[in-house]
Structure formats: C-alpha cells, structure tokens
Amino acid sequence: MNTPLIAPSVLAADFANIRRDVEMLNESQADWIHIDIMDGMFVPNISFGLPVCEAIKRHAKKPMDVHLMIEQPDRYLEAFRDAGAEVLSVHYEACTHLHRSLQYIKSLGCKAGVAVNPHTNVQLLEDTIGDIDLVCLMSVNPGFGGQKFIENTYKKVRQLKQLIVDNGASTLIEIDGGVNSTNAPLLMEAGADVLVAGSFVFKSEDPKSTIADLKSLQPV
Ligand code: DX5
Ligand code: ZN
C-alpha cells in the first residue's frame, strides 16, 4: 500500500494571508495544493477565480490541483491552465461531452480529472476511465468546506478501484470533503491515492504537523 498524496484545500486558508498559508504548504509534507473554484451556479457558493489562482501560483512550489465546480467548464480550461493548474478536474455532472473535455485538458498539457458528486454512480465512468488521470470522489455535496463526511464513500472507492483494475487503467482516486485522521486510514485501505483536506488542516492548531500526521497514517 502506498502512502497517500496529501492535497490541502486552500478554501479553508486565511485569504487575507494567502501567501503565508501557501508558504506553509511549501514547507509542509503536502504533495499538491487543492484549489476549489465555485461559480455560484453549479454549486450554491462562489469561492474565487483566476486572479487568486494566479496569485497562489506565484508562491506555490507544489503542483496545483484545480477542482472546477463550474458549469460548462470547457470555457475556462485554457485560462486555468494559464493560471497555473497542473491537474484540472471537471465535474461529471457539468459535462455534456466528457470525453471531449478530457482530451481538451490533456491537449493543454494538464492531468485530466473528473469529479463525481455523492449521488453519481462510479460505473458511469466505465467508458472513459482509460482517459482519466484522476477521479475526484466527492465525499460531501460540493459547495462548502467543513461538511460531514458521507460514509457511503467507502463503498464507492472500492467500486471505483475495481473499475480501474478491470480496465487496466492507472487512474488515481482522490477523496474530497470531510477528510480527517479517522476516515483517512479507512479510505486508504479502500483504495484512495490522494486525500484532500481543508478544515482538518487549516483549522488545526498546527497545520504543518496535521499534514505530516495525515501523510504518515497507515491503512487499517
Ligand atoms: C467542497 C470542496 C472541498 C473542500 C474540502 O466543495 O471541493 O475541496 O474544500 O473541505 P473540507 O476538508 O473542510 O471538507
Ligand atoms: Zn475540492
């Protein structure tokens, strides 16, 4: 079993001190920096957009994992690549032509991710799994940080892992929402590769050591 990649979500950072918080992530054992983009349409909240993404990029020394919770994401893929995204995830539920969106992301030189809402069955990815670098399994309904982890996620991780193995794909499984040190080992055991954590990291007393703790957790 591999150690998970840890992707702290800056949605829970202090936006008035974003440079300080990004520098903390640079010094920490975080592998990626998770950036949540919300448009107030696909999800009932607005986070921040391209200028903030560019500002984070100016200080970030780790890959930026951009999670687009927006309608018709194709319109903005190139702009987010230019703003520094290395991984670009679009929502399954927001893409009429998912296969085309995935090819487009790859043509931009980014890793292609697909995020799936809690109600979306992972078997729907059967015909595209070979084209997906990362599936972001939402373990809360997207739109807000600090929500409670949905327990049905474990089952979805196992189903998705099986789908990946059955298709000989090398897709990474990322878990996003309500991740903490209690559910993280269980998620790893179920087959997760990347753990996103917002509140659990940034609201802790010592975010850097919280990241180190997540990194060193062993699967149960
Ligand atoms: C939710 C976002 C998450 C969020 C996670 O819509 O996609 O990335 O920031 O935050 P926590 O870890 O607080 O649930
Ligand atoms: Zn996210």
Side-chain angles (χ1 to χ4, degrees), residues 45-194:
N45 195 11
I46 297 174
S47 56
F48 51 80
L50 290 158
V52 174
C53 208
E54 282 162 11
I56 294 170
K57 182 67 181 177
R58 281 203 293 280
H59 303 291
K61 295 194 176 130
K62 309 209 168 168
M64 286 180 27
D65 168 34
V66 176
H67 175 194
L68 296 176
M69 286 163 273
I70 66 176
E71 288 187 355
Q72 299 177 37
D74 290 10
R75 296 173 297 160
Y76 291 103
L77 293 172
E78 189 172 5
F80 277 103
R81 190 276 312 270
D82 292 346
E86 266 100 344
V87 184
L88 263 177
S89 295
V90 292
H91 260 268
Y92 177 86
E93 303 82 7
C95 292
T96 310
H97 302 286
L98 181 63
H99 185 269
R100 179 184 289 152
S101 301
L102 292 169
Q103 306 312 321
Y104 183 24
I105 294 171
K106 290 183 180 182
S107 76
L108 294 169
C110 297
K111 287 201 188 314
V114 177
V116 295
N117 279 340
H119 74 273
T120 301
N121 193 305
V122 295
Q123 299 302 337
L124 292 166
L125 300 175
E126 187 178 358
D127 293 298
T128 43
I129 196 73
D131 297 299
I132 304 175
D133 295 311
L134 170 128
V135 173
C136 176
L137 272 188
M138 293 309 302
S139 39
V140 297
N141 284 297
F144 302 92
Q147 300 182 81
K148 190 174 175 297
F149 178 84
I150 297 172
E151 299 283 321
N152 189 54
T153 308
Y154 300 118
K155 184 187 85 183
K156 292 181 74 171
V157 179
R158 288 181 210 288
Q159 289 172 338
L160 179 58
K161 186 76 191 177
Q162 195 60 50
L163 183 71
I164 291 166
V165 170
D166 288 350
N167 286 276
S170 49
T171 313
L172 294 176
I173 301 177
E174 176 177 69
I175 313 298
D176 187 7
V179 171
N180 56 39
S181 56
T182 306
N183 53 36
L186 298 161
L187 290 164
M188 287 159 61
E189 192 267 338
D193 303 293
V194 188

